[in-house]
Amino acid sequence: MSKLYIFAIGGTGSRVLKSLTMLLASGVKTRNAFDIVPIIIDPHAANEDLKRTKKILSGYQNIRKKLDANNLKENKGFFHHKITTLDELDGNLSDSFSFGLQDVTQCKFGEYLDYDTMGDSNKDLAELLFSGKSINSLGNEVSLLDVDMDIGFVGNPNIGSVVLNQFKDSEEFKVIASQFNEGDRFFIISSIFGGTGAAGFPTIIKNLRNAIKTNLPNKQIIADSSIGAISVMPYFNIMPSDDSPIKRADFIAKTKSALSYYKDNLTGQAAAINRLYYVMDDFSGTPFENDAGNNGQKNNAHFIELVSALSIIDFMGANNDELSTVNGKAQDPVCKEFSTRSDIGKITFSDLNHITEELISNPLASMMLFKKYLDENIDEVAGDIAWSKNNELLVDSNFLQSTFYRTHLKDFLNHFKEMIEEMSATERSFSPFNIGSDIATLISGKEGKAGWLKRNIKFDSIDAKLNSNSRDKTYSSVEDKLIALFSETMSEVLEENYKIN
Amino acid sequence: MSKGKVFGYSGTDGDHWFGVEAYGTKEIQKIVDPDGGNAESMPCAIPTPFARMDLVKAAFENIEKTPELKHHKQTTKDGSTIVIASSDHEKLVSDTLDLCELMFNYDTISQSQKLEIITWNRNNELKDLMEGGNPKHRRYAETLEMFLEQDKDTFNFEGLDKIYLIKFNHQIIGATSSLTLFFTTGNDLTFAQLKIAKKDVIFDEDYAPLYERDPEFQKYLWLLFECNPLLKSKMSDFYRYLQKNLTILNTKNPSLYKEIQALKSDDFTQNFEALDTGTANDNVSVLGCVFRKRKSQDIIQYIKRMSGFKINSTKFNDDLPPLVLQNDFTISLQYAKENWDAPKVPFEDERTLDKRYLPGFEHSIKYPYLTVSDFLEPKLVRLIYPINDDKYYTGKVIVNTGDDSKGFLLPLKPAFFEYFDAGDLMSVDSNTPNIEITMGVANSVRVCLTIPIQEGHSIVFERVYKEKQDASETNNKGKIVEQRFGMTLFPFIKTNDENISPNYRVQLLDSDTLKETIVNDYELHFYNNKSPKKSLNTDSSIRTDKNSSKSKVTSKYYILKNEFDFIQVSTQQTNGVIIPKWKPYTRGNSKFSFAVDFGTTNTHIEISEEDNEPVPFSIENNDEQIASLFDPARVDDALEKEAAFSLKASIDMEFVPKNIGSGFDTKFPHRTVLYEKNNFDPDKTTHCLADYNIPFVYGKIALRDGKVVPNLKWAKRGKLNEIRSKGFFEELIMLMRSKVLLNGGDPNSTELTWFFPSSMSSARIGDLTQNWNETFKNYFPNSPTPTRISESLAPFYHIKHKFPGGGMSAPAVGVDIGGGTTDVVIFQQGNPQFMTSFKMAANTLFGDGFQQGIAPENGILNKYIPEFKKLLKANKLTELSFALDDVISKKRSEDINSFLFSIENNPKVERDQADKFSYSKMLAKDGDLKVVFLYFYTSIIYHVALITKAKNIEKPKDLFFSGTGSKVLNIITSDKKYLQDLSQKIFEDVYGEKYETNKFKITQPESPKELTCKGGLKFKSDDEVMPKDIFKIYTGLEGKEFDKLTYNDVKSAGEIFDQVADKVKEFNRYFLSLNQELNFKDLFGVSEASIKILRDGIDTNVKDYIVQGTNYNKELDEVTDDNSTVSETFFFYPIIGLIKDIRNELTSIKK
């Protein structure tokens, strides 16, 4: 299976990666299957979003380890997508998902350059290139050379471009290169308006396309690889704050500058990217808290992140011949934008375009229903009901006490639910579910009906379906049975009872 | 169906993720800034180390789309606002243009502000980082290299090998950019705010689009792109900006638009010069295109044309008018390229003007400027007296503390006068300089020199001078130095008339005797306004030296043949300027006539304007000829306090008195003496009023530092005496000339009449004629040659109208008794018929006979000097006592007597006390001595009677006296009738016939000396009688009374002396018989004892005296050839000898 290396850069990278993980977990279908290798790039190691994403990715892997690889090959159902860590590829790397940035802890940018020991002209040039002011973690104005590296680049992509360029010499990159095969792809998630993403994006692109000039293995393949990227433009409000270097007007200004730069250096004649996804939202809703970094930057999940994650699904769906690259130049590069059917503050499945709805409504609803079932019904029936006893694989109270169930699965689903809740709480909101209601009205705009009288569906209808679906099936383990059975059943229930295909 | 939503800016519609064009400029512009484009900060949003370059490029790109190249918002159809360009963009463009303009004006930016261009060499610098062994450096270098390589197309990095970094005051402010020529730092640039053009401060908040900037700069940028087409394509955003700018100019500034349109590519290289890094030929370039800068010469021309600090001087004609600069000048005038922003102006710049750089542009703009030390001296000279502000310009003196009893030299350097005339300083016109001297606490003095610059503004050069601080021009600290010197100009006239040759004498007196200043060596330099750089040629002469002078004063005299406007007084340590306040002069057309009676003892000058009644020559207050630097009205106390009275006294002694005339200390007639310096050397060039002068205080105060020379008229012929007599004439003529010029006289029609005694030899008269003529011609080159008249004839012309019949019906006799000679003229029918002359005169009575310098043997003096000493002492007339001692020490009887006679008229003597001091009256009362005067007088009348009788002339009826010596008549008797009777009797006795009753009359004028001159001035050429034609010498030889005798005749015929001796003896007998007839004791108070003494000695040495007198006269006339004619009668020789011999006996008669 070809690999899709996803570079998730900065806070936005982590959040989009989280959304993607949820989409993958819920079993969103892709035309082509990829072994997904996420690499989080963020010097801001204390970033809450980053920590959460890493936890979710671990959870995903832990769940998937117990599942039968063969079942998963059907390219459908919960957790069927393979997510691989870098260290799984090589084993010598320190971190599972993060790219280990060097020399950023307790380090100012000037120290990173070792500015003080440069020759005079180089010093002068550096002083000019990195002129202007930023802000430190205490909210004090500092010059760029004094910016602390470990809170990210605080909106200074020029610094980021220098620091993140260490990527090219990193062990991680060497591992990727050594493992890189024909058909493997890259995808880069970044926001355009921050510091880290805006800087890391072109830096990584340049290093990949520039690989031919290195001594890396597979440098030709890398240089001519298929690269997709999403550039996330401003999509949320932040609280105005005089203390913060992050300002909404800045976001826009930076976006414009960066786009101009992309225009000249990535897209257009540069043709560095095979597929570039643009996304933004100008909805003025509840502002995010303005927090420059350090232990902050824990933001609610947002619909745009989900949309961004969908761009990766879209990219995975493209065929190789659509993404060919010759001599480092993408052939017929494509740019894409996303649309919904309606422009409203509270988006439900039916507000999405038909394709989008078809792609995600059934999986997300399946996962949601699965969560609802586990939360509200399984304790009552486990060990007694047919489906829990079939296949000589007992889903009983013991199993419900297992680490897999209690920690890995429940935690993961909690994150899922949390994400769904967060998305519905932000503005603009994505609110496909009525999370607190019973299952018949769980899905906004879609009532679940069961029986020939088409009464509101209840868990017993689902149990009946589970029972029937579990008959004559072979599962490799209880864990495998639980995931596979529910994946199949929930999807069918949604099709049959909710008319969600 | 509700309206769909696309989460992007393309404006395209589609489902789910759908394909759009890559975002280009159009899409980017659609992005709406929620804050309306007024973001305060300018984020650096581009993920490349070269982000700032791109940021500037983006700014140009956006600004170019606005209508006026300023920040601009636009409202779309749907009502939303689109920011075309933000104020940040405007700032970035403005800053970049600022930097570009700064580099264009590179030469105008002061090197002191350290505008530096540093080259960042790509290969070398990256190699340094890569290979220096520092992994962090290597990592950074590789990043730079990657971006340089990857972005080479979009950033024009292809071929980029150098970036030129611009530093200002050691801080980086920007660099060259391959995108927009330059880019600036994101740091605060307030520190680099500079005015580079009249209205433009770079890097300020007042952003300026290109079309509001310096037209030259706009032309430059336009040409830069026109001559480097590569820039048009590579820096298209900038180029479009330029094009838009041009379009705007078409409406806003059509003339500049046309100028730009008309530019040719040649103009680029011709009008601007390459911008180098400071190393020649290391040119600053971008994309291979070399930047240029304003030609430094253009800046110079610009300053010359535009600067408001240019000196406002009509005098200065050099190419570049210097700027005048002071610190703390607050008016924002155009300075160099920009307005004045108060750079530090050095107080002193040691470089010559043409090598100076302007303050604030110490290494870039070489343009002359003037600072305080160019015009103000480091030391201020304080005098010990107040300045004569009627005659000299003192500046505006303000006394805040203290008093103005001590004046100051103007502490101006001659350089000041290269720009302004002395008159400008004195003018009250607001566009002229002025100087203000303010006296403050602790004797400090603040001098403010105001120099006019352009448009009515002025610069003030200010310096504070203190007694107790060292002078430092660098720190603008001045020192006050007190000096004790005086200066006096003669004459105080400036005619500005090239037809009138100037001839000045300047007296410089130095009485510095204090330890610090005794070494001062004073020099005067004279300058005129026309050539202030070169002092005028002068001769100078030191007359006395304070180290040896009794007056403790050094006197130095300058002889100057040019008119001048100011004087610099220099010592080794100090300089100062004196500006005479010359009075306006217009050449007059009055005819002035002078007559000089150059007498043996006294000299007199009469002056007649336009043939009016002659008056004695005078110098009144309104025609003062000299100008002393001190204020004569206020000086006495000041000089006395400083014990420097010689500064004043030496003017009268060695120079020219302030006043002459009735009512003043000195007047004419005046003693015929010259005062010359010790060791006077006739072989050296000497000058009147330098090496010698007429000491008008002679006889009034002691003259101790030189030599008083009398007897100028009859001194032995020779070089020395010629110089002396000529010198005496010269000073008189100088006084006359000044008199003429100061009183509206025409120097071309001035007349001079002078007199000679009939008894003078032709050779001597020739000498006198030559001396008078030459000297007069020197000073009055276009006036008629002087007229000479016989002394004997002249008085008659003055008084002849007083004799209704006198000289008409019966003859009249004029007797002029001078110091040395007595002239006798007989007039008939109003004309001189006959005249004679002999050297028996006042000196015979009071002088030393045929010898010189034997005053101690003079009985009269021995008798009267002790009396006068006693008298002077009793009356505390110390000054006169000194003067008497002084004249006594010269051992010249005639001088001592002259002095004694003058005492009664001395101003020091109270008028009501004058009689007590009258020498005449003392002598008149001296019965023992009177016989001599009577004998003297009788001999003259007797001699005249012999002559008239021999010539068969009718007995004269009028006898008039003139000459100083005629004053002896008053000693003989105060009752003229007795003299008339005596004289009448002599004529009757000689003729042997009686007069009709009361027909004989004596006329004796009150001022007998003046008659000669007055008569001379009345003399008309019709009156002219050649004295030689009527001059006769009475030989005393029977039948040959008027034959000419030669010395040979005398030698070969020894009996001639015997015959003359007989004649004299006959007279002696007659004199003694007169006493018996008339009783001299009764009539004149002659003592019996004195008559006895006379009678006993009267015939003793008659012949010896004749021989002695003849030899003396021969020597006097320098007779070498015995064929020469004898020049006077021998008749008086025994009389002169007798008088001398018996004088002492008479004065020693005991009562």
Coordinates of all heavy atoms in Angstrom, one line a residue, chain B residues 12 160 164 179 188 237 241 471 610 787 798 832 858 962 1033 1062 1100 1120 1132 1149:
Chain B
T12 N -15.6 31.4 -7.9 CA -16.1 30.4 -8.8 C -17.1 29.5 -8.0 O -17.1 29.5 -6.8 CB -14.9 29.4 -9.2 OG1 -13.8 30.3 -9.5 CG2 -15.3 28.6 -10.4
L160 N 22.6 37.3 -8.5 CA 22.8 38.2 -7.3 C 24.1 37.8 -6.6 O 24.2 36.7 -6.1 CB 21.6 38.2 -6.4 CG 21.8 39.0 -5.1 CD1 20.6 39.9 -4.9 CD2 22.1 38.2 -3.9
Y164 N 23.9 45.3 -1.0 CA 24.6 46.5 -0.3 C 23.7 46.9 0.9 O 22.5 47.3 0.7 CB 24.7 47.6 -1.3 CG 25.7 47.2 -2.4 CD1 25.1 46.7 -3.6 CD2 27.0 47.4 -2.3 CE1 26.0 46.3 -4.6 CE2 27.9 47.0 -3.3 CZ 27.4 46.5 -4.5 OH 28.2 46.1 -5.5
L179 N 14.2 43.4 -6.0 CA 12.8 43.6 -6.4 C 12.3 45.0 -6.5 O 11.6 45.3 -7.4 CB 11.9 42.9 -5.3 CG 11.9 41.4 -5.2 CD1 11.0 40.9 -4.1 CD2 11.5 40.7 -6.5
D188 N 12.1 50.5 13.9 CA 11.8 51.9 14.0 C 12.9 52.7 13.3 O 14.1 52.5 13.7 CB 11.7 52.3 15.5 CG 11.3 53.7 15.6 OD1 10.7 54.3 14.6 OD2 11.4 54.3 16.7
D237 N 6.8 46.1 -10.8 CA 6.0 46.8 -9.9 C 6.5 48.3 -9.7 O 5.7 49.2 -9.7 CB 5.9 46.1 -8.6 CG 5.3 44.7 -8.7 OD1 4.2 44.6 -9.3 OD2 5.9 43.8 -8.3
Y241 N 4.8 51.8 -11.0 CA 4.7 52.9 -10.1 C 5.2 54.2 -10.7 O 4.6 55.3 -10.7 CB 5.5 52.6 -8.8 CG 5.4 53.7 -7.7 CD1 4.4 53.7 -6.7 CD2 6.3 54.8 -7.7 CE1 4.3 54.7 -5.8 CE2 6.2 55.8 -6.8 CZ 5.2 55.7 -5.8 OH 5.1 56.7 -4.9
A471 N 42.1 82.3 26.0 CA 41.4 82.4 24.7 C 41.4 81.0 24.0 O 42.4 80.3 24.0 CB 42.0 83.4 23.8
E610 N 39.8 133.3 -0.2 CA 39.2 134.2 -1.3 C 39.5 135.6 -1.1 O 38.7 136.5 -1.2 CB 37.6 134.0 -1.2 CG 37.1 132.6 -1.6 CD 37.3 132.3 -3.1 OE1 37.3 133.3 -3.9 OE2 37.5 131.1 -3.5
T787 N 55.0 132.2 -4.3 CA 55.6 133.5 -4.6 C 56.5 133.9 -3.5 O 56.2 133.6 -2.3 CB 54.4 134.5 -4.6 OG1 53.4 134.1 -5.4 CG2 54.9 135.9 -5.0
H798 N 50.8 145.9 3.8 CA 49.7 145.7 4.7 C 49.3 147.1 5.2 O 48.1 147.3 5.4 CB 50.1 144.8 5.8 CG 49.0 144.6 6.8 ND1 47.8 144.0 6.4 CD2 48.8 144.9 8.1 CE1 47.0 143.9 7.4 NE2 47.6 144.5 8.5
P832 N 58.5 151.0 -3.1 CA 59.8 150.9 -2.5 C 60.9 151.5 -3.4 O 60.9 151.1 -4.6 CB 60.0 149.4 -2.3 CG 59.1 148.7 -3.3 CD 58.0 149.7 -3.5
N858 N 75.8 134.5 29.2 CA 74.9 135.6 28.9 C 74.5 136.2 30.2 O 73.7 135.7 31.0 CB 73.7 135.1 28.1 CG 72.8 136.2 27.6 OD1 72.6 137.2 28.3 ND2 72.3 136.0 26.4
S962 N 58.2 146.7 12.2 CA 57.5 145.4 12.2 C 58.6 144.4 12.7 O 59.7 144.7 13.0 CB 57.0 145.0 10.8 OG 58.1 145.0 9.9
I1033 N 73.7 148.4 -0.2 CA 74.5 148.3 1.0 C 75.3 149.6 1.3 O 76.0 150.0 0.4 CB 75.4 147.1 0.9 CG1 74.6 145.8 0.8 CG2 76.4 147.0 2.2 CD1 75.5 144.6 0.4
D1062 N 85.9 154.4 11.4 CA 85.8 155.8 11.7 C 84.3 156.2 11.7 O 83.9 157.0 12.5 CB 86.5 156.6 10.6 CG 88.1 156.5 10.8 OD1 88.5 156.0 11.8 OD2 88.8 156.9 9.8
T1100 N 86.6 150.8 21.9 CA 87.8 149.9 22.1 C 88.1 149.0 21.0 O 89.2 148.9 20.5 CB 87.6 149.1 23.4 OG1 87.1 150.0 24.4 CG2 88.9 148.5 23.9
T1120 N 83.5 131.0 -0.8 CA 84.8 130.4 -1.1 C 85.6 131.2 -2.1 O 86.8 131.1 -2.2 CB 84.6 128.9 -1.7 OG1 83.7 129.0 -2.7 CG2 84.1 128.0 -0.6
F1132 N 77.4 147.6 11.4 CA 76.9 147.1 12.6 C 77.8 146.1 13.4 O 77.5 145.8 14.5 CB 75.5 146.5 12.4 CG 74.4 147.5 12.0 CD1 74.0 147.7 10.7 CD2 73.9 148.3 13.0 CE1 73.1 148.6 10.4 CE2 72.9 149.2 12.7 CZ 72.5 149.4 11.4
I1149 N 76.2 145.1 37.5 CA 76.3 146.4 38.2 C 75.6 146.2 39.5 O 74.5 145.7 39.6 CB 75.7 147.5 37.4 CG1 76.5 147.8 36.2 CG2 75.6 148.8 38.3 CD1 75.8 148.8 35.3

